[in-house]
Amino acid sequence: MASRNPELLSKEDWSNGPHNYRGTRIPPGTLVSFHGLKSLSYLNGTMGHVYDYHSAKGRYEVCDFDKARHLVKFENIKQHPEVKMEGLQSRKDLNGKKGLALDIDKAKDRWSIQVGQEVVSLKRDNVIFLHGTFCRIVGLKNKTELNGAHATIRWKVDAEETLQKDQLRYDLHLANGETVRVKQENIQL
């Protein structure tokens, strides 16, 4: 991933654009990094912001750090949404603060979160995805037909409301209007 923070379109620029955002796409303005591009390989590892989604082409329009726009497939971008940190014991100073989700180490089940200039490694349970975060549903054992479906996080369900108090759950909005409740382990960014 590029170490320099891109100077991209301001929030006002993309909020005035002709967006096709319907709640089941990566929201405009979301920070992403490019990967796996063949014809635009020089962009791999660099960052940009989602500007729009072109449903007819099935591609996202992403503005890079030079303010050039590129049409890329979902598979060629990785989003870095804002998250909230909660329940930390060793770093209580981070509780309630927000950072950017950079990556997950699946073997260790820990997220790398950028907080200012610092990158911290946090357990999955200490990372809270925010309302509006776009995701893919994975690993469901019941309702397996939903695996691979794209959805948008509508809200975190408080532990008191879940069937198992130790399992954080989210309500996800699907393109067909259905809402499904899943554990964080069933969410892939």
Side-chain angles (χ1 to χ4, degrees):
M1 189 177 319
S3 59
R4 105 181 199 190
N5 229 351
E7 182 181 321
L8 301 166
L9 295 175
S10 68
K11 195 167 195 166
E12 293 77 31
D13 289 335
W14 58 256
S15 63
N16 293 326
H19 308 296
N20 297 319
Y21 175 59
R22 301 269 189 280
T24 54
R25 301 282 181 225
I26 298 174
T30 300
L31 184 66
V32 296
S33 56
F34 297 97
H35 66 90
L37 294 170
K38 292 183 176 116
S39 64
L40 299 170
S41 60
Y42 66 93
L43 289 173
N44 289 331
T46 64
M47 299 177 92
H49 280 109
V50 171
Y51 183 77
D52 203 352
Y53 180 74
H54 297 267
S55 57
K57 296 180 180 183
R59 297 195 188 321
Y60 285 90
E61 185 175 354
V62 178
C63 182
D64 69 17
F65 57 83
D66 291 326
K67 296 189 178 183
R69 296 185 191 164
H70 309 279
L71 292 178
V72 295
K73 296 177 187 174
F74 174 76
E75 292 76 22
N76 295 115
I77 54 176
K78 180 178 192 170
Q79 66 176 322
H80 304 289
E82 191 173 50
V83 296
K84 185 176 175 185
M85 295 164 280
E86 289 185 357
L88 296 164
Q89 298 302 313
S90 62
R91 291 290 310 267
K92 291 183 181 186
D93 60 308
L94 295 177
N95 285 328
K97 290 194 176 175
K98 293 180 181 175
L100 291 177
L102 299 178
D103 206 358
I104 187 165
D105 181 333
K106 292 180 183 174
K108 294 181 180 178
D109 201 28
R110 296 181 74 88
W111 279 95
S112 293
I113 307 296
Q114 182 176 348
V115 185
Q117 296 300 314
E118 180 182 13
V119 176
V120 294
S121 176
L122 302 177
K123 293 178 185 174
R124 182 188 301 266
D125 294 342
N126 299 118
V127 177
I128 307 300
F129 298 128
L130 302 180
H131 175 86
T133 300
F134 180 72
C135 63
R136 183 179 285 178
I137 300 172
V138 296
L140 292 179
K141 294 187 177 40
N142 297 326
K143 294 192 176 186
T144 57
E145 69 278 7
L146 295 177
N147 288 326
H150 292 144
T152 302
I153 294 174
R154 288 298 177 217
W155 56 78
K156 171 190 91 164
V157 180
D158 291 329
E160 304 84 55
E161 296 180 39
T162 63
L163 298 174
Q164 299 174 344
K165 292 188 179 188
D166 61 336
Q167 292 292 327
L168 176 66
R169 296 180 189 242
Y170 293 87
D171 281 349
L172 304 181
H173 174 74
L174 302 170
N176 65 5
E178 182 182 349
T179 298
V180 61
R181 186 169 287 179
V182 301
K183 298 176 190 175
Q184 192 189 79
E185 66 193 46
N186 299 116
I187 294 174
Q188 180 183 62
L189 298 182

Short mmCIF file of all heavy atoms in Angstrom, two decimals, residues 91-157:
data_model
loop_
_atom_site.label_atom_id
_atom_site.label_comp_id
_atom_site.label_asym_id
_atom_site.label_seq_id
_atom_site.Cartn_x
_atom_site.Cartn_y
_atom_site.Cartn_z
N ARG A 91 -5.06 -0.58 25.63
CA ARG A 91 -5.00 0.75 25.00
C ARG A 91 -6.33 1.46 25.18
O ARG A 91 -7.03 1.78 24.23
CB ARG A 91 -4.68 0.61 23.51
CG ARG A 91 -3.30 0.14 23.14
CD ARG A 91 -2.21 1.17 23.44
NE ARG A 91 -2.46 2.52 22.94
CZ ARG A 91 -2.03 2.98 21.76
NH1 ARG A 91 -1.34 2.20 20.96
NH2 ARG A 91 -2.30 4.21 21.39
N LYS A 92 -6.70 1.70 26.42
CA LYS A 92 -7.99 2.33 26.73
C LYS A 92 -8.12 3.71 26.09
O LYS A 92 -9.23 4.18 25.86
CB LYS A 92 -8.17 2.42 28.24
CG LYS A 92 -8.37 1.06 28.88
CD LYS A 92 -8.63 1.15 30.36
CE LYS A 92 -8.80 -0.26 30.89
NZ LYS A 92 -9.19 -0.31 32.28
N ASP A 93 -6.98 4.34 25.79
CA ASP A 93 -7.00 5.66 25.15
C ASP A 93 -7.63 5.62 23.76
O ASP A 93 -8.08 6.64 23.24
CB ASP A 93 -5.59 6.24 25.05
CG ASP A 93 -4.64 5.37 24.24
OD1 ASP A 93 -4.54 4.15 24.52
OD2 ASP A 93 -4.00 5.90 23.31
N LEU A 94 -7.70 4.43 23.15
CA LEU A 94 -8.28 4.29 21.81
C LEU A 94 -9.78 3.99 21.83
O LEU A 94 -10.44 4.10 20.79
CB LEU A 94 -7.55 3.19 21.03
CG LEU A 94 -6.08 3.46 20.71
CD1 LEU A 94 -5.47 2.26 20.00
CD2 LEU A 94 -5.92 4.73 19.88
N ASN A 95 -10.32 3.61 22.99
CA ASN A 95 -11.75 3.29 23.07
C ASN A 95 -12.58 4.49 22.64
O ASN A 95 -12.36 5.62 23.08
CB ASN A 95 -12.13 2.86 24.48
CG ASN A 95 -11.66 1.47 24.80
OD1 ASN A 95 -11.59 0.61 23.92
ND2 ASN A 95 -11.31 1.23 26.05
N GLY A 96 -13.52 4.24 21.75
CA GLY A 96 -14.40 5.28 21.25
C GLY A 96 -13.83 6.08 20.08
O GLY A 96 -14.54 6.85 19.45
N LYS A 97 -12.55 5.89 19.78
CA LYS A 97 -11.93 6.61 18.66
C LYS A 97 -12.17 5.86 17.36
O LYS A 97 -12.48 4.68 17.34
CB LYS A 97 -10.44 6.78 18.90
CG LYS A 97 -10.14 7.74 20.03
CD LYS A 97 -8.71 8.15 20.04
CE LYS A 97 -8.53 9.19 21.15
NZ LYS A 97 -7.14 9.55 21.31
N LYS A 98 -11.98 6.60 16.27
CA LYS A 98 -12.15 6.02 14.94
C LYS A 98 -10.81 5.92 14.23
O LYS A 98 -9.90 6.69 14.50
CB LYS A 98 -13.13 6.86 14.12
CG LYS A 98 -14.54 6.81 14.67
CD LYS A 98 -15.49 7.63 13.85
CE LYS A 98 -16.88 7.58 14.45
NZ LYS A 98 -17.81 8.45 13.73
N GLY A 99 -10.71 4.96 13.33
CA GLY A 99 -9.52 4.77 12.52
C GLY A 99 -9.91 4.14 11.20
O GLY A 99 -11.09 3.88 10.94
N LEU A 100 -8.92 3.88 10.35
CA LEU A 100 -9.16 3.25 9.05
C LEU A 100 -8.75 1.79 9.09
O LEU A 100 -7.64 1.46 9.51
CB LEU A 100 -8.35 3.96 7.96
CG LEU A 100 -8.77 5.36 7.59
CD1 LEU A 100 -7.82 5.94 6.55
CD2 LEU A 100 -10.19 5.39 7.07
N ALA A 101 -9.65 0.92 8.65
CA ALA A 101 -9.35 -0.52 8.56
C ALA A 101 -8.44 -0.74 7.37
O ALA A 101 -8.83 -0.49 6.23
CB ALA A 101 -10.63 -1.32 8.42
N LEU A 102 -7.21 -1.19 7.62
CA LEU A 102 -6.26 -1.41 6.54
C LEU A 102 -6.31 -2.83 6.02
O LEU A 102 -6.37 -3.06 4.83
CB LEU A 102 -4.84 -1.08 7.01
CG LEU A 102 -4.61 0.36 7.45
CD1 LEU A 102 -3.18 0.55 7.92
CD2 LEU A 102 -4.95 1.33 6.32
N ASP A 103 -6.28 -3.80 6.94
CA ASP A 103 -6.22 -5.19 6.53
C ASP A 103 -6.53 -6.08 7.72
O ASP A 103 -6.48 -5.64 8.87
CB ASP A 103 -4.83 -5.53 6.00
CG ASP A 103 -4.84 -6.68 5.01
OD1 ASP A 103 -5.91 -7.25 4.74
OD2 ASP A 103 -3.76 -7.00 4.48
N ILE A 104 -6.85 -7.35 7.45
CA ILE A 104 -7.04 -8.32 8.52
C ILE A 104 -6.03 -9.45 8.34
O ILE A 104 -5.82 -9.93 7.22
CB ILE A 104 -8.48 -8.86 8.59
CG1 ILE A 104 -8.65 -9.74 9.82
CG2 ILE A 104 -8.86 -9.58 7.31
CD1 ILE A 104 -10.07 -10.05 10.20
N ASP A 105 -5.41 -9.85 9.43
CA ASP A 105 -4.54 -11.03 9.45
C ASP A 105 -5.45 -12.18 9.86
O ASP A 105 -5.78 -12.34 11.03
CB ASP A 105 -3.40 -10.82 10.46
CG ASP A 105 -2.45 -12.00 10.51
OD1 ASP A 105 -2.86 -13.14 10.20
OD2 ASP A 105 -1.29 -11.78 10.89
N LYS A 106 -5.89 -12.96 8.88
CA LYS A 106 -6.86 -14.02 9.15
C LYS A 106 -6.30 -15.09 10.08
O LYS A 106 -7.04 -15.65 10.89
CB LYS A 106 -7.33 -14.64 7.85
CG LYS A 106 -8.18 -13.68 7.03
CD LYS A 106 -8.65 -14.29 5.73
CE LYS A 106 -9.42 -13.25 4.94
NZ LYS A 106 -9.79 -13.71 3.63
N ALA A 107 -5.01 -15.37 9.99
CA ALA A 107 -4.40 -16.39 10.85
C ALA A 107 -4.45 -15.97 12.32
O ALA A 107 -4.70 -16.79 13.20
CB ALA A 107 -2.96 -16.65 10.43
N LYS A 108 -4.24 -14.68 12.58
CA LYS A 108 -4.25 -14.17 13.96
C LYS A 108 -5.60 -13.59 14.35
O LYS A 108 -5.81 -13.23 15.50
CB LYS A 108 -3.17 -13.11 14.13
CG LYS A 108 -1.76 -13.66 13.98
CD LYS A 108 -0.76 -12.55 14.18
CE LYS A 108 0.66 -13.09 14.03
NZ LYS A 108 1.66 -12.02 14.18
N ASP A 109 -6.50 -13.43 13.36
CA ASP A 109 -7.82 -12.84 13.58
C ASP A 109 -7.70 -11.44 14.18
O ASP A 109 -8.38 -11.11 15.15
CB ASP A 109 -8.68 -13.75 14.46
CG ASP A 109 -10.16 -13.46 14.29
OD1 ASP A 109 -10.56 -12.98 13.21
OD2 ASP A 109 -10.92 -13.69 15.25
N ARG A 110 -6.81 -10.64 13.59
CA ARG A 110 -6.57 -9.29 14.08
C ARG A 110 -6.59 -8.30 12.91
O ARG A 110 -6.08 -8.58 11.83
CB ARG A 110 -5.23 -9.19 14.80
CG ARG A 110 -5.20 -10.05 16.07
CD ARG A 110 -3.88 -9.93 16.79
NE ARG A 110 -3.71 -8.67 17.48
CZ ARG A 110 -4.11 -8.44 18.74
NH1 ARG A 110 -4.70 -9.40 19.43
NH2 ARG A 110 -3.91 -7.27 19.30
N TRP A 111 -7.20 -7.14 13.16
CA TRP A 111 -7.26 -6.06 12.19
C TRP A 111 -6.11 -5.10 12.39
O TRP A 111 -5.75 -4.76 13.51
CB TRP A 111 -8.56 -5.28 12.35
CG TRP A 111 -9.73 -5.93 11.70
CD1 TRP A 111 -10.65 -6.75 12.29
CD2 TRP A 111 -10.11 -5.82 10.34
NE1 TRP A 111 -11.56 -7.16 11.37
CE2 TRP A 111 -11.26 -6.59 10.17
CE3 TRP A 111 -9.59 -5.13 9.25
CZ2 TRP A 111 -11.90 -6.71 8.94
CZ3 TRP A 111 -10.22 -5.25 8.04
CH2 TRP A 111 -11.38 -6.03 7.89
N SER A 112 -5.54 -4.61 11.29
CA SER A 112 -4.60 -3.49 11.33
C SER A 112 -5.42 -2.24 11.10
O SER A 112 -6.10 -2.10 10.08
CB SER A 112 -3.55 -3.61 10.22
OG SER A 112 -2.72 -4.72 10.46
N ILE A 113 -5.38 -1.34 12.08
CA ILE A 113 -6.17 -0.11 12.05
C ILE A 113 -5.22 1.08 12.11
O ILE A 113 -4.37 1.16 12.99
CB ILE A 113 -7.15 -0.04 13.24
CG1 ILE A 113 -8.02 -1.30 13.32
CG2 ILE A 113 -7.99 1.24 13.18
CD1 ILE A 113 -8.94 -1.53 12.15
N GLN A 114 -5.39 2.01 11.18
CA GLN A 114 -4.59 3.23 11.20
C GLN A 114 -5.32 4.28 12.02
O GLN A 114 -6.46 4.62 11.72
CB GLN A 114 -4.33 3.76 9.80
CG GLN A 114 -3.45 4.99 9.79
CD GLN A 114 -3.11 5.46 8.40
OE1 GLN A 114 -3.33 4.77 7.42
NE2 GLN A 114 -2.56 6.66 8.32
N VAL A 115 -4.63 4.77 13.06
CA VAL A 115 -5.17 5.82 13.92
C VAL A 115 -4.17 6.97 13.85
O VAL A 115 -3.08 6.87 14.44
CB VAL A 115 -5.33 5.34 15.37
CG1 VAL A 115 -6.00 6.41 16.22
CG2 VAL A 115 -6.09 4.04 15.43
N GLY A 116 -4.48 8.01 13.11
CA GLY A 116 -3.51 9.07 12.88
C GLY A 116 -2.33 8.50 12.11
O GLY A 116 -2.50 7.88 11.07
N GLN A 117 -1.12 8.66 12.64
CA GLN A 117 0.07 8.12 12.00
C GLN A 117 0.44 6.73 12.51
O GLN A 117 1.36 6.11 12.03
CB GLN A 117 1.26 9.08 12.23
CG GLN A 117 1.07 10.44 11.59
CD GLN A 117 0.89 10.35 10.09
OE1 GLN A 117 1.62 9.64 9.40
NE2 GLN A 117 -0.09 11.06 9.56
N GLU A 118 -0.29 6.24 13.50
CA GLU A 118 0.00 4.95 14.12
C GLU A 118 -0.88 3.84 13.53
O GLU A 118 -2.04 4.06 13.21
CB GLU A 118 -0.27 5.07 15.63
CG GLU A 118 -0.03 3.81 16.42
CD GLU A 118 -0.37 3.98 17.90
OE1 GLU A 118 -1.02 4.96 18.28
OE2 GLU A 118 0.01 3.08 18.66
N VAL A 119 -0.30 2.65 13.38
CA VAL A 119 -1.07 1.48 12.97
C VAL A 119 -1.08 0.52 14.15
O VAL A 119 -0.02 0.16 14.67
CB VAL A 119 -0.48 0.80 11.73
CG1 VAL A 119 -1.24 -0.47 11.39
CG2 VAL A 119 -0.51 1.76 10.53
N VAL A 120 -2.29 0.13 14.58
CA VAL A 120 -2.42 -0.79 15.72
C VAL A 120 -3.06 -2.08 15.25
O VAL A 120 -3.82 -2.10 14.28
CB VAL A 120 -3.25 -0.15 16.87
CG1 VAL A 120 -2.53 1.04 17.46
CG2 VAL A 120 -4.64 0.25 16.39
N SER A 121 -2.75 -3.17 15.93
CA SER A 121 -3.30 -4.48 15.63
C SER A 121 -4.32 -4.80 16.71
O SER A 121 -3.99 -4.85 17.89
CB SER A 121 -2.18 -5.51 15.62
OG SER A 121 -2.70 -6.80 15.42
N LEU A 122 -5.58 -5.01 16.29
CA LEU A 122 -6.66 -5.21 17.25
C LEU A 122 -7.42 -6.50 16.97
O LEU A 122 -7.60 -6.89 15.82
CB LEU A 122 -7.66 -4.05 17.18
CG LEU A 122 -7.11 -2.65 17.44
CD1 LEU A 122 -8.21 -1.62 17.26
CD2 LEU A 122 -6.50 -2.55 18.82
N LYS A 123 -7.89 -7.12 18.06
CA LYS A 123 -8.75 -8.29 17.91
C LYS A 123 -10.03 -7.89 17.20
O LYS A 123 -10.51 -6.75 17.32
CB LYS A 123 -9.11 -8.86 19.29
CG LYS A 123 -7.95 -9.44 20.04
CD LYS A 123 -8.42 -9.92 21.40
CE LYS A 123 -7.25 -10.41 22.23
NZ LYS A 123 -7.69 -10.75 23.60
N ARG A 124 -10.60 -8.83 16.49
CA ARG A 124 -11.84 -8.60 15.75
C ARG A 124 -12.93 -7.99 16.64
O ARG A 124 -13.65 -7.08 16.23
CB ARG A 124 -12.32 -9.92 15.16
CG ARG A 124 -13.57 -9.80 14.32
CD ARG A 124 -14.10 -11.17 13.92
NE ARG A 124 -13.17 -11.96 13.17
CZ ARG A 124 -13.11 -12.01 11.84
NH1 ARG A 124 -13.92 -11.27 11.12
NH2 ARG A 124 -12.24 -12.78 11.24
N ASP A 125 -13.05 -8.48 17.87
CA ASP A 125 -14.11 -8.00 18.76
C ASP A 125 -13.95 -6.54 19.17
O ASP A 125 -14.89 -5.94 19.67
CB ASP A 125 -14.17 -8.87 20.02
CG ASP A 125 -14.61 -10.29 19.72
OD1 ASP A 125 -15.20 -10.52 18.64
OD2 ASP A 125 -14.38 -11.16 20.57
N ASN A 126 -12.77 -5.96 18.97
CA ASN A 126 -12.53 -4.57 19.35
C ASN A 126 -12.72 -3.60 18.18
O ASN A 126 -12.54 -2.40 18.34
CB ASN A 126 -11.11 -4.40 19.92
CG ASN A 126 -10.90 -5.22 21.17
OD1 ASN A 126 -10.06 -6.10 21.20
ND2 ASN A 126 -11.68 -4.95 22.20
N VAL A 127 -13.08 -4.13 17.02
CA VAL A 127 -13.27 -3.31 15.82
C VAL A 127 -14.76 -3.32 15.47
O VAL A 127 -15.35 -4.38 15.27
CB VAL A 127 -12.43 -3.86 14.64
CG1 VAL A 127 -12.69 -3.07 13.37
CG2 VAL A 127 -10.96 -3.85 15.00
N ILE A 128 -15.34 -2.14 15.41
CA ILE A 128 -16.76 -2.01 15.11
C ILE A 128 -16.91 -1.33 13.76
O ILE A 128 -16.46 -0.20 13.55
CB ILE A 128 -17.48 -1.15 16.19
CG1 ILE A 128 -17.19 -1.68 17.59
CG2 ILE A 128 -18.98 -1.06 15.90
CD1 ILE A 128 -17.62 -3.11 17.84
N PHE A 129 -17.53 -2.04 12.80
CA PHE A 129 -17.81 -1.45 11.50
C PHE A 129 -18.96 -0.46 11.65
O PHE A 129 -19.91 -0.70 12.39
CB PHE A 129 -18.19 -2.53 10.48
CG PHE A 129 -17.10 -3.53 10.23
CD1 PHE A 129 -17.35 -4.88 10.32
CD2 PHE A 129 -15.82 -3.11 9.90
CE1 PHE A 129 -16.35 -5.80 10.07
CE2 PHE A 129 -14.81 -4.02 9.65
CZ PHE A 129 -15.08 -5.37 9.74
N LEU A 130 -18.89 0.62 10.91
CA LEU A 130 -19.88 1.68 11.04
C LEU A 130 -21.02 1.53 10.04
O LEU A 130 -20.87 0.89 8.99
CB LEU A 130 -19.21 3.04 10.85
CG LEU A 130 -18.07 3.35 11.83
CD1 LEU A 130 -17.49 4.73 11.55
CD2 LEU A 130 -18.55 3.25 13.27
N HIS A 131 -22.13 2.15 10.38
CA HIS A 131 -23.30 2.21 9.51
C HIS A 131 -22.88 2.69 8.13
O HIS A 131 -22.12 3.64 8.01
CB HIS A 131 -24.32 3.18 10.13
CG HIS A 131 -25.51 3.42 9.28
ND1 HIS A 131 -26.60 2.60 9.29
CD2 HIS A 131 -25.77 4.38 8.37
CE1 HIS A 131 -27.49 3.06 8.44
NE2 HIS A 131 -27.02 4.13 7.87
N GLY A 132 -23.33 2.01 7.09
CA GLY A 132 -23.04 2.41 5.72
C GLY A 132 -21.84 1.71 5.11
O GLY A 132 -21.59 1.87 3.92
N THR A 133 -21.11 0.92 5.89
CA THR A 133 -19.95 0.21 5.34
C THR A 133 -20.44 -0.89 4.40
O THR A 133 -21.33 -1.67 4.73
CB THR A 133 -19.10 -0.41 6.47
OG1 THR A 133 -18.65 0.64 7.33
CG2 THR A 133 -17.91 -1.16 5.92
N PHE A 134 -19.84 -0.96 3.22
CA PHE A 134 -20.18 -1.95 2.21
C PHE A 134 -19.40 -3.22 2.48
O PHE A 134 -18.23 -3.17 2.87
CB PHE A 134 -19.84 -1.40 0.83
CG PHE A 134 -20.15 -2.32 -0.30
CD1 PHE A 134 -21.45 -2.58 -0.67
CD2 PHE A 134 -19.13 -2.95 -1.00
CE1 PHE A 134 -21.74 -3.42 -1.73
CE2 PHE A 134 -19.41 -3.80 -2.06
CZ PHE A 134 -20.72 -4.04 -2.42
N CYS A 135 -20.03 -4.37 2.31
CA CYS A 135 -19.34 -5.63 2.60
C CYS A 135 -19.88 -6.75 1.72
O CYS A 135 -20.83 -6.58 0.98
CB CYS A 135 -19.51 -5.99 4.08
SG CYS A 135 -21.22 -6.29 4.58
N ARG A 136 -19.25 -7.90 1.86
CA ARG A 136 -19.69 -9.13 1.20
C ARG A 136 -19.96 -10.14 2.31
O ARG A 136 -19.20 -10.24 3.27
CB ARG A 136 -18.60 -9.65 0.26
CG ARG A 136 -19.00 -10.89 -0.51
CD ARG A 136 -17.90 -11.35 -1.43
NE ARG A 136 -17.84 -10.45 -2.57
CZ ARG A 136 -16.97 -10.55 -3.56
NH1 ARG A 136 -16.06 -11.49 -3.54
NH2 ARG A 136 -16.97 -9.71 -4.56
N ILE A 137 -21.01 -10.92 2.17
CA ILE A 137 -21.36 -11.94 3.15
C ILE A 137 -20.60 -13.21 2.82
O ILE A 137 -20.58 -13.66 1.68
CB ILE A 137 -22.88 -12.20 3.16
CG1 ILE A 137 -23.63 -10.91 3.52
CG2 ILE A 137 -23.23 -13.33 4.14
CD1 ILE A 137 -25.13 -11.00 3.36
N VAL A 138 -19.96 -13.79 3.84
CA VAL A 138 -19.17 -15.01 3.64
C VAL A 138 -19.38 -15.97 4.80
O VAL A 138 -19.69 -15.56 5.92
CB VAL A 138 -17.65 -14.70 3.51
CG1 VAL A 138 -17.37 -13.87 2.28
CG2 VAL A 138 -17.12 -14.02 4.76
N GLY A 139 -19.22 -17.26 4.53
CA GLY A 139 -19.14 -18.27 5.57
C GLY A 139 -20.41 -18.58 6.34
O GLY A 139 -20.34 -19.17 7.42
N LEU A 140 -21.58 -18.23 5.81
CA LEU A 140 -22.82 -18.58 6.51
C LEU A 140 -23.07 -20.08 6.37
O LEU A 140 -22.93 -20.64 5.29
CB LEU A 140 -24.00 -17.81 5.93
CG LEU A 140 -24.04 -16.30 6.16
CD1 LEU A 140 -25.27 -15.71 5.49
CD2 LEU A 140 -24.03 -15.97 7.64
N LYS A 141 -23.45 -20.71 7.46
CA LYS A 141 -23.78 -22.13 7.43
C LYS A 141 -25.27 -22.33 7.18
O LYS A 141 -25.67 -23.27 6.53
CB LYS A 141 -23.32 -22.79 8.72
CG LYS A 141 -21.79 -22.76 8.84
CD LYS A 141 -21.29 -23.54 10.00
CE LYS A 141 -19.80 -23.61 10.12
NZ LYS A 141 -19.03 -22.47 9.82
N ASN A 142 -26.09 -21.45 7.73
CA ASN A 142 -27.51 -21.39 7.38
C ASN A 142 -27.63 -20.27 6.36
O ASN A 142 -26.81 -19.36 6.33
CB ASN A 142 -28.36 -21.05 8.61
CG ASN A 142 -28.26 -22.13 9.66
OD1 ASN A 142 -28.15 -23.31 9.35
ND2 ASN A 142 -28.28 -21.73 10.92
N LYS A 143 -28.59 -20.32 5.52
CA LYS A 143 -28.77 -19.32 4.46
C LYS A 143 -27.52 -19.22 3.58
O LYS A 143 -27.04 -18.13 3.28
CB LYS A 143 -29.12 -17.95 5.05
CG LYS A 143 -30.46 -17.89 5.74
CD LYS A 143 -30.84 -16.46 6.03
CE LYS A 143 -32.24 -16.41 6.61
NZ LYS A 143 -32.71 -15.04 6.79
N THR A 144 -27.00 -20.35 3.19
CA THR A 144 -25.78 -20.39 2.37
C THR A 144 -25.96 -19.67 1.04
O THR A 144 -24.97 -19.25 0.44
CB THR A 144 -25.33 -21.84 2.12
OG1 THR A 144 -26.40 -22.56 1.51
CG2 THR A 144 -24.90 -22.52 3.41
N GLU A 145 -27.19 -19.52 0.59
CA GLU A 145 -27.44 -18.82 -0.67
C GLU A 145 -27.03 -17.35 -0.59
O GLU A 145 -26.84 -16.69 -1.62
CB GLU A 145 -28.91 -18.94 -1.08
CG GLU A 145 -29.89 -18.18 -0.20
CD GLU A 145 -30.30 -18.90 1.08
OE1 GLU A 145 -29.74 -19.97 1.40
OE2 GLU A 145 -31.20 -18.37 1.78
N LEU A 146 -26.85 -16.81 0.62
CA LEU A 146 -26.43 -15.42 0.78
C LEU A 146 -24.91 -15.24 0.72
O LEU A 146 -24.43 -14.11 0.58
CB LEU A 146 -26.95 -14.86 2.11
CG LEU A 146 -28.47 -14.74 2.23
CD1 LEU A 146 -28.86 -14.23 3.60
CD2 LEU A 146 -29.02 -13.84 1.14
N ASN A 147 -24.16 -16.33 0.82
CA ASN A 147 -22.70 -16.22 0.74
C ASN A 147 -22.31 -15.63 -0.61
O ASN A 147 -22.79 -16.05 -1.64
CB ASN A 147 -22.02 -17.58 0.94
CG ASN A 147 -22.12 -18.04 2.38
OD1 ASN A 147 -22.09 -17.24 3.31
ND2 ASN A 147 -22.23 -19.34 2.58
N GLY A 148 -21.47 -14.61 -0.57
CA GLY A 148 -21.04 -13.91 -1.78
C GLY A 148 -21.89 -12.69 -2.09
O GLY A 148 -21.50 -11.87 -2.93
N ALA A 149 -23.04 -12.54 -1.44
CA ALA A 149 -23.91 -11.39 -1.69
C ALA A 149 -23.28 -10.12 -1.10
O ALA A 149 -22.65 -10.15 -0.05
CB ALA A 149 -25.29 -11.61 -1.07
N HIS A 150 -23.47 -9.02 -1.80
CA HIS A 150 -23.02 -7.72 -1.31
C HIS A 150 -24.12 -7.11 -0.44
O HIS A 150 -25.31 -7.32 -0.70
CB HIS A 150 -22.71 -6.78 -2.47
CG HIS A 150 -21.51 -7.21 -3.24
ND1 HIS A 150 -21.41 -7.07 -4.58
CD2 HIS A 150 -20.35 -7.78 -2.84
CE1 HIS A 150 -20.24 -7.53 -4.99
NE2 HIS A 150 -19.59 -7.98 -3.95
N ALA A 151 -23.71 -6.37 0.56
CA ALA A 151 -24.67 -5.77 1.49
C ALA A 151 -24.05 -4.52 2.10
O ALA A 151 -22.85 -4.27 1.97
CB ALA A 151 -25.03 -6.76 2.59
N THR A 152 -24.88 -3.76 2.78
CA THR A 152 -24.44 -2.56 3.48
C THR A 152 -24.81 -2.69 4.95
O THR A 152 -25.94 -3.07 5.28
CB THR A 152 -25.10 -1.30 2.89
OG1 THR A 152 -24.77 -1.23 1.50
CG2 THR A 152 -24.61 -0.04 3.58
N ILE A 153 -23.85 -2.40 5.81
CA ILE A 153 -24.11 -2.46 7.25
C ILE A 153 -25.07 -1.34 7.62
O ILE A 153 -24.83 -0.18 7.30
CB ILE A 153 -22.80 -2.36 8.06
CG1 ILE A 153 -21.94 -3.58 7.77
CG2 ILE A 153 -23.09 -2.18 9.54
CD1 ILE A 153 -20.56 -3.53 8.40
N ARG A 154 -26.15 -1.72 8.26
CA ARG A 154 -27.14 -0.74 8.71
C ARG A 154 -26.89 -0.34 10.15
O ARG A 154 -27.02 0.80 10.50
CB ARG A 154 -28.56 -1.28 8.54
CG ARG A 154 -28.96 -1.32 7.11
CD ARG A 154 -28.95 0.08 6.54
NE ARG A 154 -29.26 0.08 5.14
CZ ARG A 154 -28.72 0.88 4.26
NH1 ARG A 154 -27.82 1.75 4.61
NH2 ARG A 154 -29.05 0.82 3.00
N TRP A 155 -26.56 -1.27 11.00
CA TRP A 155 -26.18 -0.95 12.37
C TRP A 155 -25.65 -2.15 13.08
O TRP A 155 -25.89 -3.28 12.69
CB TRP A 155 -27.32 -0.34 13.18
CG TRP A 155 -28.56 -1.18 13.24
CD1 TRP A 155 -28.77 -2.27 14.02
CD2 TRP A 155 -29.76 -1.00 12.49
NE1 TRP A 155 -30.02 -2.79 13.79
CE2 TRP A 155 -30.65 -2.03 12.86
CE3 TRP A 155 -30.17 -0.06 11.55
CZ2 TRP A 155 -31.91 -2.13 12.32
CZ3 TRP A 155 -31.43 -0.19 11.01
CH2 TRP A 155 -32.28 -1.20 11.40
N LYS A 156 -24.90 -1.84 14.13
CA LYS A 156 -24.39 -2.88 15.01
C LYS A 156 -25.50 -3.21 15.99
O LYS A 156 -26.18 -2.33 16.50
CB LYS A 156 -23.17 -2.34 15.77
CG LYS A 156 -22.69 -3.25 16.87
CD LYS A 156 -21.65 -2.56 17.71
CE LYS A 156 -22.34 -1.88 18.85
NZ LYS A 156 -21.50 -1.48 19.94
N VAL A 157 -25.69 -4.48 16.26
CA VAL A 157 -26.69 -4.88 17.24
C VAL A 157 -25.99 -5.01 18.59
O VAL A 157 -24.97 -5.68 18.71
CB VAL A 157 -27.32 -6.24 16.83
CG1 VAL A 157 -28.37 -6.65 17.83
CG2 VAL A 157 -27.93 -6.12 15.44
#
